[in-house]
Short mmCIF file of all heavy atoms in Angstrom, two decimals:
data_model
loop_
_atom_site.label_atom_id
_atom_site.label_comp_id
_atom_site.label_asym_id
_atom_site.label_seq_id
_atom_site.Cartn_x
_atom_site.Cartn_y
_atom_site.Cartn_z
N MET A 71 -3.71 -27.43 -2.88
CA MET A 71 -2.58 -27.41 -1.96
C MET A 71 -2.50 -26.07 -1.24
O MET A 71 -2.27 -26.02 -0.05
CB MET A 71 -1.31 -27.68 -2.76
CG MET A 71 -0.05 -27.46 -2.01
SD MET A 71 0.55 -28.98 -1.32
CE MET A 71 2.02 -28.45 -0.55
N SER A 72 -2.71 -24.99 -1.95
CA SER A 72 -2.59 -23.66 -1.36
C SER A 72 -3.65 -23.43 -0.29
O SER A 72 -3.36 -22.83 0.75
CB SER A 72 -2.72 -22.60 -2.45
OG SER A 72 -2.68 -21.32 -1.89
N VAL A 73 -4.87 -23.89 -0.54
CA VAL A 73 -5.95 -23.72 0.44
C VAL A 73 -5.63 -24.51 1.70
O VAL A 73 -5.86 -24.04 2.82
CB VAL A 73 -7.30 -24.16 -0.16
CG1 VAL A 73 -8.39 -24.12 0.88
CG2 VAL A 73 -7.64 -23.28 -1.35
N THR A 74 -5.07 -25.68 1.55
CA THR A 74 -4.70 -26.50 2.69
C THR A 74 -3.64 -25.82 3.55
O THR A 74 -3.73 -25.80 4.78
CB THR A 74 -4.16 -27.86 2.21
OG1 THR A 74 -5.12 -28.46 1.35
CG2 THR A 74 -3.87 -28.78 3.37
N VAL A 75 -2.66 -25.24 2.92
CA VAL A 75 -1.61 -24.54 3.65
C VAL A 75 -2.18 -23.35 4.41
O VAL A 75 -1.84 -23.12 5.57
CB VAL A 75 -0.48 -24.09 2.69
CG1 VAL A 75 0.52 -23.19 3.39
CG2 VAL A 75 0.21 -25.30 2.10
N VAL A 76 -3.07 -22.61 3.78
CA VAL A 76 -3.68 -21.46 4.44
C VAL A 76 -4.50 -21.90 5.64
O VAL A 76 -4.42 -21.29 6.72
CB VAL A 76 -4.55 -20.66 3.44
CG1 VAL A 76 -5.40 -19.63 4.15
CG2 VAL A 76 -3.68 -20.01 2.38
N LEU A 77 -5.29 -22.96 5.49
CA LEU A 77 -6.11 -23.43 6.61
C LEU A 77 -5.27 -23.97 7.75
O LEU A 77 -5.57 -23.70 8.92
CB LEU A 77 -7.09 -24.49 6.11
CG LEU A 77 -8.23 -23.99 5.23
CD1 LEU A 77 -9.05 -25.17 4.71
CD2 LEU A 77 -9.10 -23.02 5.97
N LEU A 78 -4.24 -24.72 7.44
CA LEU A 78 -3.37 -25.24 8.49
C LEU A 78 -2.62 -24.12 9.21
O LEU A 78 -2.47 -24.15 10.43
CB LEU A 78 -2.39 -26.25 7.91
CG LEU A 78 -2.98 -27.60 7.53
CD1 LEU A 78 -1.93 -28.46 6.83
CD2 LEU A 78 -3.52 -28.31 8.74
N THR A 79 -2.17 -23.14 8.46
CA THR A 79 -1.48 -22.00 9.07
C THR A 79 -2.42 -21.20 9.96
O THR A 79 -2.05 -20.78 11.06
CB THR A 79 -0.87 -21.11 7.98
OG1 THR A 79 -0.02 -21.90 7.15
CG2 THR A 79 -0.09 -19.96 8.58
N THR A 80 -3.64 -21.00 9.50
CA THR A 80 -4.63 -20.28 10.31
C THR A 80 -4.92 -21.03 11.60
O THR A 80 -4.99 -20.43 12.68
CB THR A 80 -5.93 -20.09 9.50
OG1 THR A 80 -5.62 -19.39 8.29
CG2 THR A 80 -6.95 -19.32 10.29
N GLY A 81 -5.07 -22.33 11.50
CA GLY A 81 -5.30 -23.13 12.70
C GLY A 81 -4.13 -23.06 13.67
O GLY A 81 -4.32 -22.96 14.88
N LEU A 82 -2.91 -23.10 13.15
CA LEU A 82 -1.73 -23.01 14.00
C LEU A 82 -1.65 -21.66 14.69
O LEU A 82 -1.33 -21.59 15.88
CB LEU A 82 -0.48 -23.26 13.16
CG LEU A 82 0.86 -23.19 13.90
CD1 LEU A 82 0.93 -24.30 14.95
CD2 LEU A 82 2.01 -23.30 12.93
N ILE A 83 -1.95 -20.61 13.98
CA ILE A 83 -1.92 -19.27 14.57
C ILE A 83 -2.96 -19.15 15.67
O ILE A 83 -2.70 -18.57 16.73
CB ILE A 83 -2.11 -18.19 13.49
CG1 ILE A 83 -0.86 -18.13 12.61
CG2 ILE A 83 -2.40 -16.83 14.10
CD1 ILE A 83 -1.01 -17.27 11.39
N LEU A 84 -4.15 -19.71 15.44
CA LEU A 84 -5.19 -19.66 16.47
C LEU A 84 -4.78 -20.45 17.71
O LEU A 84 -5.02 -20.00 18.84
CB LEU A 84 -6.51 -20.19 15.91
CG LEU A 84 -7.25 -19.25 14.99
CD1 LEU A 84 -8.49 -19.93 14.42
CD2 LEU A 84 -7.64 -17.98 15.70
N VAL A 85 -4.17 -21.59 17.53
CA VAL A 85 -3.70 -22.37 18.68
C VAL A 85 -2.63 -21.61 19.45
O VAL A 85 -2.66 -21.56 20.69
CB VAL A 85 -3.19 -23.75 18.21
CG1 VAL A 85 -2.44 -24.46 19.31
CG2 VAL A 85 -4.34 -24.60 17.73
N ILE A 86 -1.70 -21.01 18.75
CA ILE A 86 -0.65 -20.23 19.42
C ILE A 86 -1.25 -19.04 20.15
O ILE A 86 -0.86 -18.73 21.28
CB ILE A 86 0.42 -19.79 18.40
CG1 ILE A 86 1.21 -21.01 17.92
CG2 ILE A 86 1.37 -18.77 19.00
CD1 ILE A 86 2.14 -20.73 16.77
N ALA A 87 -2.22 -18.36 19.54
CA ALA A 87 -2.87 -17.23 20.18
C ALA A 87 -3.62 -17.67 21.43
O ALA A 87 -3.57 -16.99 22.47
CB ALA A 87 -3.81 -16.54 19.21
N LEU A 88 -4.30 -18.80 21.36
CA LEU A 88 -5.02 -19.31 22.53
C LEU A 88 -4.06 -19.70 23.64
O LEU A 88 -4.33 -19.44 24.83
CB LEU A 88 -5.91 -20.49 22.14
CG LEU A 88 -7.17 -20.13 21.37
CD1 LEU A 88 -7.85 -21.41 20.87
CD2 LEU A 88 -8.12 -19.32 22.22
N LEU A 89 -2.95 -20.33 23.29
CA LEU A 89 -1.95 -20.68 24.31
C LEU A 89 -1.36 -19.44 24.97
O LEU A 89 -1.14 -19.41 26.18
CB LEU A 89 -0.84 -21.53 23.69
CG LEU A 89 -1.22 -22.98 23.37
CD1 LEU A 89 -0.08 -23.66 22.61
CD2 LEU A 89 -1.55 -23.73 24.64
N ALA A 90 -1.11 -18.40 24.19
CA ALA A 90 -0.59 -17.16 24.76
C ALA A 90 -1.62 -16.52 25.69
O ALA A 90 -1.27 -16.01 26.76
CB ALA A 90 -0.21 -16.18 23.64
N ALA A 91 -2.89 -16.57 25.30
CA ALA A 91 -3.95 -16.00 26.13
C ALA A 91 -4.10 -16.76 27.43
O ALA A 91 -4.24 -16.17 28.51
CB ALA A 91 -5.27 -16.00 25.36
N VAL A 92 -4.07 -18.08 27.36
CA VAL A 92 -4.18 -18.89 28.57
C VAL A 92 -2.99 -18.63 29.49
O VAL A 92 -3.14 -18.49 30.71
CB VAL A 92 -4.29 -20.39 28.21
CG1 VAL A 92 -4.11 -21.27 29.43
CG2 VAL A 92 -5.62 -20.66 27.55
N GLY A 93 -1.81 -18.56 28.92
CA GLY A 93 -0.62 -18.27 29.72
C GLY A 93 -0.68 -16.91 30.39
O GLY A 93 -0.34 -16.76 31.57
N ALA A 94 -1.13 -15.91 29.65
CA ALA A 94 -1.24 -14.57 30.22
C ALA A 94 -2.29 -14.53 31.33
O ALA A 94 -2.07 -13.90 32.38
CB ALA A 94 -1.59 -13.56 29.13
N GLY A 95 -3.41 -15.20 31.12
CA GLY A 95 -4.45 -15.23 32.15
C GLY A 95 -3.99 -15.97 33.39
O GLY A 95 -4.25 -15.52 34.52
N LYS A 96 -3.31 -17.07 33.21
CA LYS A 96 -2.80 -17.84 34.36
C LYS A 96 -1.76 -17.05 35.13
O LYS A 96 -1.78 -17.02 36.37
CB LYS A 96 -2.22 -19.17 33.85
CG LYS A 96 -1.63 -20.02 34.92
CD LYS A 96 -2.68 -20.49 35.91
CE LYS A 96 -2.07 -21.44 36.93
NZ LYS A 96 -2.99 -21.75 38.01
N LEU A 97 -0.85 -16.40 34.42
CA LEU A 97 0.15 -15.59 35.10
C LEU A 97 -0.48 -14.42 35.84
O LEU A 97 -0.04 -14.06 36.94
CB LEU A 97 1.20 -15.09 34.10
CG LEU A 97 2.18 -16.14 33.60
CD1 LEU A 97 3.05 -15.55 32.51
CD2 LEU A 97 3.04 -16.67 34.74
N ALA A 98 -1.51 -13.83 35.26
CA ALA A 98 -2.19 -12.73 35.93
C ALA A 98 -2.87 -13.21 37.22
O ALA A 98 -2.82 -12.54 38.25
CB ALA A 98 -3.22 -12.10 35.00
N ARG A 99 -3.52 -14.38 37.15
CA ARG A 99 -4.16 -14.93 38.35
C ARG A 99 -3.13 -15.28 39.42
O ARG A 99 -3.35 -15.07 40.59
CB ARG A 99 -4.99 -16.16 38.00
CG ARG A 99 -6.32 -15.86 37.40
CD ARG A 99 -7.24 -15.10 38.33
NE ARG A 99 -7.62 -15.92 39.48
CZ ARG A 99 -8.05 -15.43 40.63
NH1 ARG A 99 -8.18 -14.15 40.79
NH2 ARG A 99 -8.36 -16.23 41.61
N MET A 100 -2.00 -15.82 39.01
CA MET A 100 -0.94 -16.16 39.97
C MET A 100 -0.37 -14.91 40.63
O MET A 100 0.12 -14.96 41.75
CB MET A 100 0.17 -16.94 39.28
CG MET A 100 -0.22 -18.36 38.90
SD MET A 100 1.04 -19.24 37.96
CE MET A 100 2.42 -19.21 39.07
N ASP A 101 -0.45 -13.79 39.91
CA ASP A 101 0.05 -12.52 40.43
C ASP A 101 -0.97 -11.86 41.36
O ASP A 101 -0.69 -10.82 41.94
CB ASP A 101 0.41 -11.60 39.28
CG ASP A 101 1.27 -10.43 39.70
OD1 ASP A 101 2.11 -10.62 40.60
OD2 ASP A 101 1.12 -9.34 39.12
N GLY A 102 -2.17 -12.43 41.45
CA GLY A 102 -3.16 -11.89 42.36
C GLY A 102 -4.22 -11.03 41.70
O GLY A 102 -4.99 -10.38 42.40
N ALA A 103 -4.28 -11.03 40.38
CA ALA A 103 -5.30 -10.23 39.69
C ALA A 103 -6.67 -10.89 39.85
O ALA A 103 -6.77 -12.11 40.02
CB ALA A 103 -4.96 -10.10 38.22
N SER A 104 -7.70 -10.09 39.79
CA SER A 104 -9.06 -10.64 39.86
C SER A 104 -9.37 -11.35 38.54
O SER A 104 -8.66 -11.21 37.55
CB SER A 104 -10.06 -9.51 40.10
OG SER A 104 -10.07 -8.62 39.01
N TYR A 105 -10.47 -12.11 38.54
CA TYR A 105 -10.84 -12.83 37.32
C TYR A 105 -11.11 -11.89 36.14
O TYR A 105 -10.65 -12.15 35.03
CB TYR A 105 -12.04 -13.74 37.57
CG TYR A 105 -11.67 -15.02 38.28
CD1 TYR A 105 -12.04 -15.24 39.60
CD2 TYR A 105 -10.96 -16.01 37.63
CE1 TYR A 105 -11.69 -16.41 40.25
CE2 TYR A 105 -10.60 -17.19 38.26
CZ TYR A 105 -10.97 -17.38 39.58
OH TYR A 105 -10.63 -18.54 40.23
N PRO A 106 -11.85 -10.79 36.35
CA PRO A 106 -12.05 -9.88 35.20
C PRO A 106 -10.74 -9.27 34.68
O PRO A 106 -10.56 -9.13 33.46
CB PRO A 106 -12.98 -8.81 35.75
CG PRO A 106 -13.70 -9.46 36.88
CD PRO A 106 -12.70 -10.41 37.48
N ALA A 107 -9.84 -8.94 35.59
CA ALA A 107 -8.56 -8.36 35.15
C ALA A 107 -7.72 -9.40 34.41
O ALA A 107 -7.08 -9.09 33.40
CB ALA A 107 -7.79 -7.82 36.35
N ALA A 108 -7.74 -10.64 34.89
CA ALA A 108 -7.00 -11.70 34.21
C ALA A 108 -7.60 -11.98 32.84
O ALA A 108 -6.87 -12.22 31.87
CB ALA A 108 -7.00 -12.96 35.07
N LEU A 109 -8.91 -11.96 32.75
CA LEU A 109 -9.57 -12.17 31.46
C LEU A 109 -9.24 -11.06 30.48
O LEU A 109 -9.01 -11.30 29.29
CB LEU A 109 -11.08 -12.27 31.66
CG LEU A 109 -11.91 -12.57 30.42
CD1 LEU A 109 -11.52 -13.93 29.84
CD2 LEU A 109 -13.38 -12.55 30.76
N LYS A 110 -9.16 -9.83 30.99
CA LYS A 110 -8.80 -8.71 30.13
C LYS A 110 -7.37 -8.86 29.61
O LYS A 110 -7.10 -8.61 28.43
CB LYS A 110 -8.93 -7.40 30.91
CG LYS A 110 -8.62 -6.18 30.10
CD LYS A 110 -8.79 -4.90 30.90
CE LYS A 110 -8.41 -3.70 30.09
NZ LYS A 110 -8.46 -2.46 30.87
N GLN A 111 -6.46 -9.29 30.46
CA GLN A 111 -5.08 -9.49 30.02
C GLN A 111 -4.98 -10.64 29.03
O GLN A 111 -4.21 -10.58 28.07
CB GLN A 111 -4.18 -9.74 31.22
CG GLN A 111 -3.96 -8.49 32.05
CD GLN A 111 -2.98 -8.69 33.18
OE1 GLN A 111 -2.47 -9.79 33.38
NE2 GLN A 111 -2.72 -7.63 33.91
N ALA A 112 -5.77 -11.69 29.24
CA ALA A 112 -5.77 -12.81 28.30
C ALA A 112 -6.31 -12.37 26.94
O ALA A 112 -5.75 -12.75 25.90
CB ALA A 112 -6.60 -13.96 28.86
N ALA A 113 -7.37 -11.59 26.95
CA ALA A 113 -7.93 -11.10 25.69
C ALA A 113 -6.95 -10.18 24.96
O ALA A 113 -6.84 -10.22 23.73
CB ALA A 113 -9.24 -10.37 25.96
N THR A 114 -6.24 -9.37 25.72
CA THR A 114 -5.24 -8.49 25.13
C THR A 114 -4.12 -9.30 24.48
O THR A 114 -3.66 -8.99 23.37
CB THR A 114 -4.66 -7.53 26.18
OG1 THR A 114 -5.73 -6.78 26.76
CG2 THR A 114 -3.64 -6.60 25.59
N ALA A 115 -3.67 -10.35 25.16
CA ALA A 115 -2.62 -11.20 24.60
C ALA A 115 -3.10 -11.89 23.33
O ALA A 115 -2.36 -11.98 22.33
CB ALA A 115 -2.18 -12.24 25.63
N PHE A 116 -4.33 -12.39 23.34
CA PHE A 116 -4.90 -13.04 22.15
C PHE A 116 -4.95 -12.07 20.98
O PHE A 116 -4.53 -12.39 19.87
CB PHE A 116 -6.30 -13.57 22.47
CG PHE A 116 -6.95 -14.28 21.33
CD1 PHE A 116 -6.63 -15.59 21.04
CD2 PHE A 116 -7.89 -13.64 20.54
CE1 PHE A 116 -7.23 -16.26 19.98
CE2 PHE A 116 -8.50 -14.28 19.48
CZ PHE A 116 -8.17 -15.60 19.21
N ALA A 117 -5.47 -10.88 21.23
CA ALA A 117 -5.58 -9.88 20.16
C ALA A 117 -4.22 -9.46 19.65
O ALA A 117 -4.04 -9.23 18.44
CB ALA A 117 -6.35 -8.67 20.67
N THR A 118 -3.24 -9.38 20.53
CA THR A 118 -1.89 -9.00 20.12
C THR A 118 -1.27 -10.04 19.20
O THR A 118 -0.64 -9.70 18.19
CB THR A 118 -1.00 -8.80 21.36
OG1 THR A 118 -1.59 -7.80 22.20
CG2 THR A 118 0.40 -8.38 20.98
N VAL A 119 -1.44 -11.31 19.53
CA VAL A 119 -0.88 -12.37 18.68
C VAL A 119 -1.55 -12.37 17.31
O VAL A 119 -0.89 -12.50 16.28
CB VAL A 119 -1.01 -13.74 19.37
CG1 VAL A 119 -0.63 -14.87 18.43
CG2 VAL A 119 -0.16 -13.79 20.62
N ILE A 120 -2.87 -12.21 17.28
CA ILE A 120 -3.59 -12.17 16.00
C ILE A 120 -3.15 -10.96 15.17
O ILE A 120 -2.93 -11.07 13.95
CB ILE A 120 -5.11 -12.17 16.23
CG1 ILE A 120 -5.56 -13.46 16.92
CG2 ILE A 120 -5.87 -11.96 14.93
CD1 ILE A 120 -5.31 -14.72 16.12
N THR A 121 -2.99 -9.81 15.82
CA THR A 121 -2.55 -8.61 15.12
C THR A 121 -1.13 -8.78 14.58
O THR A 121 -0.83 -8.37 13.44
CB THR A 121 -2.61 -7.40 16.06
OG1 THR A 121 -3.94 -7.27 16.55
CG2 THR A 121 -2.21 -6.12 15.35
N LEU A 122 -0.26 -9.37 15.39
CA LEU A 122 1.11 -9.61 14.94
C LEU A 122 1.13 -10.55 13.74
O LEU A 122 1.88 -10.34 12.78
CB LEU A 122 1.94 -10.18 16.08
CG LEU A 122 3.40 -10.50 15.78
CD1 LEU A 122 4.15 -9.23 15.39
CD2 LEU A 122 4.06 -11.15 16.97
N ALA A 123 0.32 -11.58 13.77
CA ALA A 123 0.25 -12.51 12.64
C ALA A 123 -0.24 -11.81 11.38
O ALA A 123 0.27 -12.05 10.27
CB ALA A 123 -0.66 -13.69 12.98
N ALA A 124 -1.23 -10.93 11.52
CA ALA A 124 -1.73 -10.19 10.37
C ALA A 124 -0.67 -9.24 9.81
O ALA A 124 -0.52 -9.11 8.58
CB ALA A 124 -2.98 -9.41 10.76
N ALA A 125 0.09 -8.60 10.69
CA ALA A 125 1.14 -7.69 10.24
C ALA A 125 2.26 -8.44 9.51
O ALA A 125 2.75 -7.99 8.47
CB ALA A 125 1.72 -6.93 11.43
N VAL A 126 2.64 -9.60 10.04
CA VAL A 126 3.68 -10.40 9.38
C VAL A 126 3.18 -10.89 8.02
O VAL A 126 3.93 -10.89 7.04
CB VAL A 126 4.11 -11.57 10.29
CG1 VAL A 126 4.97 -12.57 9.53
CG2 VAL A 126 4.84 -11.04 11.50
N THR A 127 1.92 -11.30 7.96
CA THR A 127 1.34 -11.75 6.70
C THR A 127 1.33 -10.63 5.66
O THR A 127 1.68 -10.84 4.49
CB THR A 127 -0.08 -12.27 6.92
OG1 THR A 127 -0.04 -13.33 7.87
CG2 THR A 127 -0.69 -12.77 5.63
N ALA A 128 0.96 -9.44 6.08
CA ALA A 128 0.94 -8.31 5.16
C ALA A 128 2.35 -7.97 4.68
O ALA A 128 2.56 -7.67 3.49
CB ALA A 128 0.31 -7.10 5.83
N ALA A 129 3.31 -8.03 5.58
CA ALA A 129 4.70 -7.73 5.19
C ALA A 129 5.23 -8.77 4.22
O ALA A 129 5.88 -8.44 3.23
CB ALA A 129 5.57 -7.66 6.44
N LEU A 130 4.93 -10.04 4.49
CA LEU A 130 5.39 -11.10 3.59
C LEU A 130 4.71 -11.02 2.22
O LEU A 130 5.32 -11.29 1.20
CB LEU A 130 5.16 -12.47 4.21
CG LEU A 130 6.10 -12.84 5.35
CD1 LEU A 130 5.69 -14.17 5.96
CD2 LEU A 130 7.54 -12.89 4.87
N ALA A 131 3.44 -10.65 2.22
CA ALA A 131 2.72 -10.51 0.95
C ALA A 131 3.32 -9.39 0.11
O ALA A 131 3.41 -9.50 -1.12
CB ALA A 131 1.25 -10.26 1.21
N THR A 132 3.74 -8.33 0.77
CA THR A 132 4.37 -7.21 0.05
C THR A 132 5.72 -7.62 -0.51
O THR A 132 6.06 -7.29 -1.65
CB THR A 132 4.54 -6.01 1.00
OG1 THR A 132 3.27 -5.65 1.51
CG2 THR A 132 5.14 -4.83 0.27
N VAL A 133 6.49 -8.34 0.27
CA VAL A 133 7.81 -8.75 -0.16
C VAL A 133 7.75 -9.78 -1.28
O VAL A 133 8.53 -9.74 -2.24
CB VAL A 133 8.63 -9.28 1.04
CG1 VAL A 133 9.93 -9.94 0.59
CG2 VAL A 133 8.91 -8.16 2.02
N CYS A 134 6.83 -10.72 -1.16
CA CYS A 134 6.76 -11.83 -2.12
C CYS A 134 6.12 -11.44 -3.45
O CYS A 134 6.30 -12.14 -4.44
CB CYS A 134 5.99 -13.00 -1.50
SG CYS A 134 6.89 -13.79 -0.15
N SER A 135 5.39 -10.35 -3.49
CA SER A 135 4.73 -10.00 -4.76
C SER A 135 5.48 -8.92 -5.51
O SER A 135 6.44 -8.40 -5.14
CB SER A 135 3.32 -9.53 -4.52
OG SER A 135 3.30 -8.38 -3.72
#
C-alpha cells in the first residue's frame, strides 16, 4: 500500500509540474518571448514545482517522525 501511495503521489506531482511548465511557456509566448526564452521559463517553472514538492516532503518527514 505504501509503495502505491508513493508512486501515485510522484505521478501527480509530475503532472502538476508539467502543467505549470506548459502554462508558463504558453504565457511567455503570448507575451512575445522567443521560443528559447519561453522554454527557459517553462523549465524554470518545472524545476520550481519539483523543488517545492521536495521541500514540502522533507518538512513533512521531519514533522511526522
Side-chain angles (χ1 to χ4, degrees):
M71 170 95 179
S72 177
V73 174
T74 306
V75 172
V76 169
L77 289 175
L78 287 174
T79 304
T80 303
L82 180 63
I83 289 171
L84 284 176
V85 168
I86 291 171
L88 286 172
L89 286 173
V92 168
K96 178 65 176 172
L97 287 174
R99 281 297 293 158
M100 289 175 60
D101 196 35
S104 64
Y105 281 109
L109 183 62
K110 181 179 177 185
Q111 289 184 358
T114 302
F116 181 80
T118 302
V119 171
I120 297 297
T121 303
L122 180 62
V126 168
T127 302
L130 287 175
T132 302
V133 170
C134 291
S135 62

